[in-house]
Amino acid sequence: MGGGSAGQPRLLTSPTEMRDEVLAARAAGRRVGFVPTMGALHAGHASLVDRATADCHEVAVSIFVNPTQFGPGEDYGRYPRMLEADTRLLERRGVRWIFAPRVEDLYPAGAATRVVVEGPALPFEGAIRPGHFSGVATVVCRLFTALPADAAYFGAKDWQQTLVVKRMVRDLGLPVDIVVCPTMREPDGLALSSRNAYLDAADRGRAVALHESLLLAERLWHAGAAVDAIERGMRDVLEAHGVALDYAAVVAAESLGPVPSQPTAAVALVAGRLGSTRLIDNRELPPRPSAD
Ligand code: AMP
């Protein structure tokens, strides 16, 4: 559609003002795209904005470091916050609104409601970070009421998150299209992430192991290897680079259950820690004639 407003984006913190603006634009026949983020924007976020701009007349980007999706001892306090630099990046891309609420704008004092998704939210990140996906689902639902867009854009980088959001939207009948966009990477393959800023030079070098393990998984998958042999190969790459592994798995792409014997799209998922930095990545694997 090639939308995108000229000039300064409007910065809003009030959910009711945000909602009024979006509803007015939609009433005027404008298709509105929404990119939810936690800020510290990089080229991965920018690619979502560009896709939204291509599909929609107007684009809104939220910047909100959501406390309810961080567990105790996680990096909520030190998560990078850089609204000015983020605003400059978004100005250059013709974004109409930046929605940057404070915690108290989004969650009323004494809030006692959370959205709980089961199914795709249970394994992997859900098992390692209890409450994380409930926090994600809660904030995404809350953001969708403040910002009732036609479509919302999410990165395949957080594969399991896309499944959780899609399931919530389906189950609750939320009136928004979910669009999943490809992962943007550094030249050596490391997936762009706001958390990469935590890595020191040595860990930054080791971090390429995640992508290498996924490329190996892809090669072995196409060669017809059994899932457990692929997973073993992935673990070997990660351990050789000193990544403290949370999981390395090949599962059905939509259910995250075991890969069935009939041809099914799969996904290789990997998560691990380098020092105090936790990184995740994944690669989609197309259906192959005979999964084991
Ligand atoms: P975050 O700010 O990390 O919560 O991410 C906001 C959105 O950007 C999510 O939908 C992420 O999946 C997406 N995203 C993060 N990193 C990348 C990347 N490297 N490529 C594409 N999308 C990304």
Side-chain angles (χ1 to χ4, degrees):
M1 215 167 259
S5 312
Q8 288 281 111
R10 192 155 142 64
L11 178 67
L12 291 163
T13 57
S14 153
T16 47
E17 276 179 43
M18 185 70 251
R19 184 178 168 83
D20 289 347
E21 294 237 350
V22 170
L23 291 178
R26 291 187 62 183
R30 312 288 285 167
R31 182 172 170 83
V32 175
F34 172 32
V35 181
T37 83
M38 297 205 299
L41 301 180
H42 50 64
H45 299 111
S47 73
L48 304 188
V49 173
D50 290 347
R51 174 68 195 276
T53 304
D55 289 355
C56 301
H57 299 108
E58 310 289 358
V59 174
V61 176
S62 66
I63 295 179
F64 181 65
V65 184
N66 172 40
T68 69
Q69 72 188 70
F70 288 81
E74 291 188 356
D75 56 342
Y76 176 67
R78 72 164 174 154
Y79 198 85
R81 290 160 171 89
M82 44 182 75
L83 185 58
E84 270 182 39
D86 290 347
T87 303
R88 284 197 294 278
L89 181 143
L90 296 173
E91 272 168 13
R92 293 196 297 276
R93 306 195 110 78
V95 165
R96 166 108 178 247
W97 301 285
I98 299 173
F99 181 47
R102 294 161 304 173
V103 173
E104 58 270 31
D105 295 318
L106 219 52
Y107 297 120
T113 303
R114 285 179 78 101
V115 178
V116 176
V117 181
E118 296 181 342
L122 294 177
F124 302 112
E125 292 302 289
I128 288 171
R129 304 181 67 189
H132 168 67
F133 283 129
S134 171
V136 168
T138 303
V139 79
V140 170
C141 195
R142 178 70 189 95
L143 287 167
F144 285 171
T145 62
L147 219 158
D150 294 277
Y153 296 79
F154 291 85
K157 152 82 168 45
D158 298 287
W159 181 261
Q160 194 176 1
Q161 173 173 276
T162 67
L163 299 179
V164 171
V165 169
K166 286 193 281 191
R167 183 67 69 89
M168 173 182 73
V169 164
R170 189 198 76 171
D171 291 352
L172 300 182
L174 303 180
V176 59
D177 298 333
I178 301 301
V179 182
V180 178
C181 304
T183 302
M184 297 293 118
R185 299 178 177 281
E186 298 281 5
D188 69 354
L190 176 65
L192 296 178
S193 164
S194 307
R195 291 190 167 98
N196 293 351
Y198 301 152
L199 295 167
D200 65 23
D203 286 340
R204 171 64 189 83
R206 290 186 196 107
V208 74
L210 277 81
H211 186 239
E212 282 181 4
S213 75
L214 295 171
L215 293 181
L216 175 69
E218 184 176 61
R219 275 201 305 281
L220 293 173
W221 174 259
H222 287 301
V227 164
D228 54 356
I230 301 175
E231 292 176 344
R232 213 174 316 119
M234 293 172 73
R235 280 198 300 273
D236 288 346
V237 171
L238 291 154
E239 280 160 14
H241 286 81
V243 176
L245 193 61
D246 282 338
Y247 54 80
V250 173
V251 289
E254 295 301 318
S255 69
L256 303 185
V259 178
S261 49
Q262 67 273 30
T264 308
V267 64
L269 299 171
V270 62
R273 284 156 287 121
L274 282 161
S276 60
T277 307
R278 186 165 185 278
L279 299 175
I280 66 173
D281 201 352
N282 67 80
R283 194 161 187 95
E284 290 179 67
L285 304 171
R288 59 180 185 181
S290 60
D292 52 84

